[in-house]
Amino acid sequence: MVLFLLLGFIDVVFGTLMLVTHLGLLTEWRIAIIGAAYLIGKGLMLRGSFLSILDVLAGIYFILIMLGVRTFLVYIFVIILIYKFVTSLIMRG
């Protein structure tokens, strides 16, 4: 149970980094690669659900943000990652 809480917290951290990168406040590409690798790796490791597919897509989109793609999708992915954190908080009890 603690593992899912930790994974949810890390989702929020990388979602925040994704948003900050999208807004142009952070340009460190190493952080984007680490975030993308985490999201894609977690999505592939825990595959079998729709949310895992969204993790992989969020990781791919994080890389696209660093390549200059700027769309409204970043807000959707951030909301999904926050939703996953809230769900992990609810399910721990």
Side-chain angles (χ1 to χ4, degrees), residues 4-20 38-39 42 55 62 77-89:
F4 288 117
L5 187 62
L6 178 66
L7 290 176
F9 178 72
I10 294 172
D11 281 344
V12 170
V13 169
F14 283 124
T16 304
L17 288 174
M18 185 186 301
L19 184 62
V20 170
Y38 164 76
L39 289 169
K42 187 179 75 147
D55 275 341
F62 203 170
F77 284 126
V78 168
I79 290 170
I80 290 169
L81 293 172
I82 291 171
Y83 167 77
K84 290 175 67 174
F85 174 64
V86 171
T87 304
S88 69
L89 283 176

Side-chain angles (χ1 to χ4, degrees), residues 44-92:
L44 293 176
M45 186 175 64
L46 301 174
R47 66 182 175 263
S49 72
F50 181 66
L51 290 176
S52 296
I53 294 170
L54 291 178
D55 275 341
V56 173
L57 292 176
I60 293 169
Y61 188 72
F62 203 170
I63 294 171
L64 291 176
I65 288 173
M66 288 305 294
L67 296 175
V69 175
R70 304 283 196 261
T71 65
F72 69 95
L73 290 176
V74 71
Y75 301 109
I76 293 172
F77 284 126
V78 168
I79 290 170
I80 290 169
L81 293 172
I82 291 171
Y83 167 77
K84 290 175 67 174
F85 174 64
V86 171
T87 304
S88 69
L89 283 176
I90 292 170
M91 292 181 61
R92 73 179 178 110

